[in-house]
Amino acid sequence: MPSLLDEAFSLLEEAILLEREASKDDLAKHQSSTRSHAQTSGEESGGLSSCRSLLEHASKKFHEACYLMKRHVSSTSFNGTCSDDTEMRTLIIEKIEHYEQRAKDLAKKAKECNDQANSQASGKDSDQDKRSFVLESNLSPTSSREDNHSSRLESSPRVMVFDQRAFNNNKSNGRNNESAVQSEGKASLCLSSAITLDENGEFSTAIEHYISSAHFYLEAVKALSEDITETGTSLNQVFHAARSNNDLIASLKRKFNMALDRVEELKKRAASCSGRDHIDVRANGGRKASDFNDKLKNLASHKSTQDQPLSYDFTFQGWIPERIFLPDDASDVRDFETPVERAWERLYSASSYGYCLITVSTSKELTEEKAADVGLLTAHAYAVLGVIQTTNGTRLLQLKNPWASQGWKGKYSSNDTVSWGDPNFCDEVGYDAVSASVNDGVFYISWDDVLIYFRNLHLSWNPALLHHRTTTHGLWSKELGPADDSFYIGENPQYIVNLSKNAIENRATLWILLTRHVTKQEQEGEDVSDCLTLYIHRTTSSRRRVWYPGGSNCVFTGAYTNNQHILIRYDVEGPSDKHLSIVLSQYKKSNDLCYTLSCYSTESFKLSQPEEPLRCCRVLNGSWELRDNTSPENQNSLLIGTAGGPPGKGSFGSNPQWSLVVAQETFIQCKCMTKKSLAVNVVLVHSGIANNSEISGLQMRGKRVHHLYEAPLVDSGDYRYGFVATERVLLQPGSYTIVVSTYEVGEVGSFILHVMSDNQVDIDAIR
């Protein structure tokens, strides 16, 4: 296979030959000046077009050659202490600068030929007409874009210019030509960015840009291919289009393959950890250069006293991290673990799709003695190079120890000649006995053994899979909301994903990533006590707050984990998912917590937050009590006191009640908190007294309510344990009564009632 430098020299030879052909055409054009003007006009125009085409092709090949030489320089290790290496590097760089300038000169000359040919074709032979044409051409959108490309060549000379005029010989389908031009232009810009990122060592982001450039190159090829098939019914037209587009398609395919080849090189570099590869890691939303091998070594080295092992977490800059916990017991899978079959499907699809980098870490229960027997290391991470399922159902992983030594000794190891005894099986897997015998840390292991000796899978997904994304950051104060939110999540951080029409119709995929910021104490080795999860609730608007966990509208409930990253994947089911509320939850909250929430989707969406609490709030303390029956004056009275029970009971009127007087139109919302053993309800009813300026304030007060003869204006709904909240309701001026009751008569306990409004209201207890 030829090297990059060999391919570059081959392209240079082709470019020089094309330049010579263009010079011959130019000479022939001048020699034809002795002919009559009528004869020469059409031929000269055709000669200029041919000359221009040759110059453009030569310019492109010079650019491509420079690109390959740059690739060679960036991918080759030159020893700075060797004078020959230094001279070679200097020589190549000089050649690149020379041929870049030569390519720019040829492109400029081709443009002049095109301008001259167009002027002759339109009959504008005067100097003034020529100057006018050149001015208009320079102001056209196409020329402006090409000028932008040329300016980028000064700083990124490897961008390969694609000129719309290269398509002028094929007028059959201008729409496809224009689409191809636009796609190639986008590809060139992506390729330029990818190369710059590549040179700066930002390999993960460079991979994204290389893939984007390959995508746009492929779009250009498709457009040109459609152009050939849409030229008409005449075979001559089809053959002419095929010949005129053939060189362009071949050039685009070569660039497409170059981009993908570089992607594969970078992926192999990330997966092969025998060298000291550096990557960008994300820590608390920031970037930090780090050694890939060290992070792999540290990945499973930190342990936690929790049921779930804690590991040092790392992700590629901007990529989406996911962690899969393999079950300790396949027959008894805990809520935070992934069933065996589902874990394999996830791992196999991730590896097959090719947009994911994977590592796996050994179980913390693996002892030093057992690890030495089987050739593994305790508290250690391995890179996953391949995930294989053969035709006979065998499941294998190809792993690599980042220390580049000490491989697996069990079944399917290099010492297991029985398992590798079938040549057809070896060919299907890609196993080579000679390569496997090298002690480089690369080995095959069965999925069954992975389930025994490994416990965690770590995946980093390329965000290019999901084109729409948004990120926000927040601080969750420990004072906000209850420590135990199993009954009440209304004050937890909440965000609402509002899906577009396309997202609903196309059943979009939504990924939600919650990242807990690492504290200084955690960095110093302390155990993590903050356990987080996420809920997803369906709501009816982009501003509605969720008050209760669970329920029929809750479509996802996560398991609590002290892992730094929590990733949820949700597939949109239909119009009922128009508004999805994302609610954060902590287990026994005790610390302030900083976090980052990122949302990714295959279709467009908007992220909003629920409406803010109403600005005015009255906090009322009350209780349900039994009457003291020991005193003489109470001996014949009922014992229920203020514990009157629900509506429909004769004692309902004895429940704690408050008068609410509204002077001007206002929104009202109530919430009530009590002990978890009591089911509670709050209602607000009209007292039947209209707002009248002639009625005194005392007369305006709400009256005690003994029965509910009509539906309440405000109602918290079904009785719920520990906490209830009402919706916001707009009240007109008037007098109202609030009643707080328990589900059973005679239940005692205290409660706190919050009455919130956007305007001041008068509230008094009804005795």
Side-chain angles (χ1 to χ4, degrees):
M1 183 176 178
S3 66
L4 292 175
L5 212 52
D6 292 336
E7 292 183 18
F9 290 155
S10 177
L11 287 170
L12 287 175
E13 291 176 2
E14 294 178 25
I16 293 171
L17 289 175
L18 288 169
E19 186 180 10
R20 289 175 181 172
E21 288 294 324
S23 300
K24 291 179 182 179
D25 282 2
D26 191 42
L27 179 60
K29 177 195 69 174
H30 288 292
Q31 289 174 347
S32 67
S33 61
T34 57
R35 304 172 190 171
S36 64
H37 176 74
Q39 180 184 3
T40 307
S41 179
E43 293 181 1
E44 188 172 339
S45 176
L48 287 170
S49 177
S50 174
C51 180
R52 181 214 65 215
S53 179
L54 290 170
L55 290 172
E56 287 173 345
H57 278 75
S59 176
K60 289 179 184 179
K61 290 194 179 293
F62 277 130
H63 277 303
E64 292 179 24
C66 291
Y67 165 70
L68 293 176
M69 286 191 286
K70 278 279 192 172
R71 282 276 306 278
H72 173 77
V73 171
S74 62
S75 62
T76 303
S77 298
F78 291 93
N79 188 349
T81 60
C82 179
S83 59
D84 291 342
D85 285 350
T86 304
E87 290 178 5
M88 176 61 74
R89 185 186 184 94
T90 303
L91 179 61
I92 294 175
I93 293 174
E94 289 176 353
K95 290 292 183 183
I96 291 171
E97 293 174 352
H98 169 73
Y99 287 117
E100 282 170 358
Q101 185 59 47
R102 196 162 171 177
K104 292 167 66 176
D105 293 341
L106 292 179
K108 183 178 179 182
K109 192 173 181 180
K111 186 176 185 301
E112 292 172 354
C113 289
N114 184 70
D115 294 343
Q116 189 176 355
N118 289 336
S119 295
Q120 291 174 352
S122 61
K124 297 179 180 180
D125 295 326
S126 66
D127 293 339
Q128 180 62 34
D129 288 341
K130 291 179 181 178
R131 287 194 296 270
S132 175
F133 178 85
V134 172
L135 177 60
E136 292 172 359
S137 176
N138 286 339
L139 293 177
S140 71
T142 302
S143 297
S144 175
R145 182 181 60 78
E146 290 163 355
D147 289 343
N148 288 339
H149 278 209
S150 298
S151 66
R152 291 185 65 85
L153 287 173
E154 296 175 6
S155 57
S156 276
R158 291 158 293 182
V159 178
M160 289 160 276
V161 180
F162 189 80
D163 198 329
Q164 186 177 2
R165 293 188 298 274
F167 293 102
N168 283 349
N169 291 333
N170 181 11
K171 300 292 186 180
S172 60
N173 195 329
R175 176 171 55 84
N176 286 336
N177 285 345
E178 182 179 353
S179 175
V181 170
Q182 293 174 350
S183 296
E184 206 284 339
K186 294 177 182 178
S188 295
L189 293 176
C190 290
L191 185 61
S192 174
S193 300
I195 293 167
T196 301
L197 293 165
D198 199 342
E199 291 174 344
N200 293 335
E202 301 179 28
F203 300 129
S204 59
T205 314
I207 287 175
E208 296 178 38
H209 285 74
Y210 278 124
I211 291 174
S212 298
S213 68
H215 168 77
F216 288 122
Y217 280 132
L218 185 59
E219 290 297 318
V221 171
K222 288 180 180 178
L224 292 177
S225 301
E226 291 171 2
D227 188 41
I228 293 175
T229 59
E230 296 176 8
T231 53
T233 57
S234 169
L235 287 176
N236 288 333
Q237 288 179 310
V238 174
F239 291 149
H240 174 72
R243 286 194 299 270
S244 61
N245 285 346
N246 185 56
D247 290 343
L248 294 170
I249 291 176
S251 175
L252 292 172
K253 286 183 176 179
R254 183 166 60 252
K255 297 169 187 175
F256 170 82
N257 290 328
M258 287 178 182
L260 290 187
D261 287 345
R262 186 55 181 163
V263 169
E264 291 303 316
E265 290 175 14
L266 292 179
K267 284 186 176 180
K268 288 178 181 178
R269 180 171 183 176
S272 177
C273 308
S274 57
R276 308 304 296 177
D277 296 329
H278 287 267
I279 61 172
D280 284 339
V281 297
R282 185 186 294 273
N284 295 346
R287 295 176 57 187
K288 179 181 178 182
S290 183
D291 187 275
F292 186 74
N293 294 295
D294 288 345
K295 292 307 173 194
L296 281 177
K297 293 176 184 178
N298 290 332
L299 182 62
S301 61
H302 295 264
K303 300 178 181 178
S304 171
T305 57
Q306 308 291 334
D307 290 336
Q308 305 171 46
L310 173 69
S311 69
Y312 189 98
D313 194 274
F314 76 96
T315 62
F316 288 97
Q317 171 67 21
W319 286 40
I320 306 172
E322 179 182 7
R323 189 174 181 185
I324 297 175
F325 294 97
L326 300 175
D328 283 327
D329 183 356
S331 62
D332 184 19
V333 180
R334 290 176 285 183
D335 55 357
F336 63 87
E337 296 174 334
T338 303
V340 171
E341 195 62 27
R342 175 60 183 148
W344 171 259
E345 292 173 358
R346 188 70 178 157
L347 179 63
Y348 188 79
S349 62
S351 176
S352 301
Y353 205 74
Y355 278 65
C356 187
L357 298 172
I358 310 168
T359 60
V360 59
S361 55
T362 50
S363 170
K364 66 178 182 179
E365 285 82 17
L366 181 62
T367 63
E368 295 284 353
E369 294 77 15
K370 183 61 177 177
D373 289 341
V374 298
L376 297 176
L377 297 167
T378 61
H380 196 66
Y382 296 78
V384 178
L385 304 184
V387 181
I388 304 162
Q389 182 162 325
T390 64
T391 53
N392 65 7
T394 302
R395 294 176 174 180
L396 299 173
L397 265 63
Q398 186 184 31
L399 304 184
K400 179 178 177 64
N401 183 348
W403 291 356
S405 63
Q406 191 171 340
W408 168 248
K409 297 179 181 178
K411 190 175 182 180
Y412 296 108
S413 69
S414 58
N415 299 324
D416 182 13
T417 56
V418 176
S419 298
W420 298 113
D422 184 356
N424 294 328
F425 178 78
C426 293
D427 290 342
E428 184 178 0
V429 174
Y431 177 81
D432 177 62
V434 176
S435 301
S437 62
V438 179
N439 185 22
D440 57 0
V442 178
F443 58 87
Y444 289 91
I445 184 173
S446 70
W447 174 242
D448 292 335
D449 283 326
V450 169
L451 295 174
I452 295 173
Y453 298 108
F454 294 83
R455 196 56 65 224
N456 302 298
L457 297 173
H458 305 264
L459 294 77
S460 288
W461 293 91
N462 189 335
L465 285 167
L466 306 160
H467 301 294
H468 304 273
R469 66 196 72 169
T470 187
T471 297
T472 185
H473 309 277
L475 168 63
W476 188 355
S477 171
K478 64 181 179 181
E479 306 299 332
L480 187 62
D484 181 0
D485 61 10
S486 57
F487 291 83
Y488 166 47
I489 59 175
E491 294 183 33
N492 292 17
Q494 299 187 19
Y495 300 87
I496 301 174
V497 176
N498 305 286
L499 297 170
S500 64
K501 181 179 179 181
N502 286 340
I504 295 173
E505 292 177 350
N506 298 330
R507 299 294 192 266
T509 295
L510 180 67
W511 286 18
I512 303 163
L513 174 65
L514 176 64
T515 299
R516 173 181 53 79
H517 292 189
V518 177
T519 63
K520 181 179 179 181
Q521 291 77 12
E522 184 179 349
Q523 291 175 339
E524 293 174 350
E526 290 189 12
D527 288 340
V528 179
S529 59
D530 300 319
C531 292
L532 283 169
T533 192
L534 290 173
Y535 302 130
I536 301 180
H537 286 255
R538 290 180 176 135
T539 65
T540 56
S541 74
S542 62
R543 300 284 287 168
R544 186 171 182 177
R545 183 172 292 275
V546 177
W547 293 102
Y548 314 118
S552 59
N553 289 326
C554 183
V555 295
F556 181 86
T557 300
Y560 288 102
T561 175
N562 56 5
N563 187 25
Q564 186 185 358
H565 303 287
I566 299 172
L567 179 66
I568 293 173
R569 301 176 305 277
Y570 182 77
D571 293 326
V572 175
E573 297 180 1
S576 59
D577 289 335
K578 171 68 176 177
H579 307 288
L580 295 173
S581 182
I582 313 301
V583 185
L584 279 66
S585 176
Q586 284 192 68
Y587 178 72
K588 295 182 179 179
K589 173 165 56 74
S590 59
N591 301 307
D592 293 341
L593 186 139
C594 296
Y595 62 88
T596 296
L597 183 74
S598 300
C599 297
Y600 306 83
S601 178
T602 53
E603 299 288 349
S604 60
F605 68 94
K606 292 183 179 179
L607 190 67
S608 62
Q609 285 191 272
E611 54 195 355
E612 293 295 325
L614 296 171
R615 64 186 184 90
C616 302
C617 181
R618 284 283 302 275
V619 180
L620 308 172
N621 293 292
S623 61
W624 301 281
E625 299 175 349
L626 297 176
R627 189 181 299 276
D628 181 8
N629 200 35
T630 58
S631 60
E633 62 271 19
N634 292 333
Q635 285 182 356
N636 298 322
S637 63
L638 295 174
L639 294 176
I640 57 175
T642 58
K649 300 292 184 181
S651 56
F652 175 73
S654 63
N655 281 305
Q657 300 187 19
W658 281 267
S659 166
L660 174 70
V661 178
V662 177
Q664 56 179 318
E665 185 179 76
T666 186
F667 279 99
I668 289 288
Q669 186 174 32
C670 301
K671 60 181 183 180
C672 180
M673 287 167 281
T674 185
K675 60 184 181 180
K676 298 175 183 178
S677 60
L678 292 179
V680 63
N681 169 268
V682 177
V683 295
L684 181 147
V685 297
H686 205 288
S687 292
I689 303 175
N691 188 24
N692 191 330
S693 59
E694 297 180 358
I695 301 177
S696 67
L698 183 62
Q699 293 173 317
M700 274 288 296
R701 292 183 58 189
K703 298 179 179 180
R704 180 170 288 276
V705 175
H706 294 278
H707 301 282
L708 298 182
Y709 296 105
E710 58 185 22
L713 300 174
V714 178
D715 188 354
S716 63
D718 295 338
Y719 281 81
R720 295 185 63 93
Y721 287 98
F723 173 84
V724 291
T726 70
E727 297 296 332
R728 292 188 182 188
V729 177
L730 182 63
L731 294 183
Q732 299 300 320
S735 178
Y736 304 88
T737 300
I738 300 173
V739 185
V740 183
S741 61
T742 58
Y743 185 68
E744 298 286 350
V745 176
E747 291 183 317
V748 297
S750 59
F751 61 86
I752 300 174
L753 177 66
H754 293 251
V755 180
M756 297 165 287
S757 61
D758 56 354
N759 293 307
Q760 292 290 345
V761 295
D762 292 329
I763 303 177
D764 293 295
I766 299 176
R767 304 299 179 185

